[in-house]
Each structure stands twice: as structure tokens, then as C-alpha cells.
Amino acid sequence: MALLANLAMGRILIDLSDDVIQRLDNLKKLRNQPRAELLREAIEQYLDQQSVSIIRDALGLWGNQQEDGLEYERKLREEW
């Protein structure tokens, strides 16, 4: 918690199902961390994952290609 002392933070209010709260409390006991810290960690991981997804989606079908885009274009033009 001391690491957070220098960070500016806002507060939010969220509604969670009883099941999610129970699971959060179980994790709280297991990891010996406050709920707020667990939620901050989960949200940061989610946002990081979303950023990676956006980049992956932006690359489209080309994202899995090993060949350089310019080299691919040159090969296509040679066929003309």
C-alpha cells in the first residue's frame, strides 16, 4: 500500500454480483491483499490486454505474415 501513497487516484463505485464479491473475498484471503488492490490489478491487466487486442486487430490478416510488406508488394508488381 505504501507504493500507492504517491499516486493520485480517483474513486469509483461499482456494483458487483454477490458471487463475484464472494470470489473476490476468497482471493483476498488467499493472496492476503485488500480488495481494492486486487481490483486495480485486474483492471490494469484487462486494459493492457485490450490494448494488445486493438493492435492485433489493426494489423488484420497481415499480422501473422512473416514476409515484409514492401517485399510482398514488389513480388505482386513483378507479376504485372
Side-chain angles (χ1 to χ4, degrees), residues 25-64:
D25 284 342
N26 292 342
L27 187 59
K28 173 185 154 189
K29 290 175 189 171
L30 183 68
R31 291 181 51 184
N32 195 30
Q33 290 181 301
R35 277 187 196 171
E37 180 61 28
L38 296 171
L39 290 169
R40 277 191 291 272
E41 180 183 329
I43 291 168
E44 286 180 21
Q45 287 178 7
Y46 175 79
L47 293 174
D48 289 345
Q49 181 183 15
Q50 293 303 305
S51 296
V52 170
S53 281
I54 290 170
I55 292 169
R56 191 176 329 117
D57 290 347
L59 292 174
L61 296 175
W62 193 261
N64 295 328

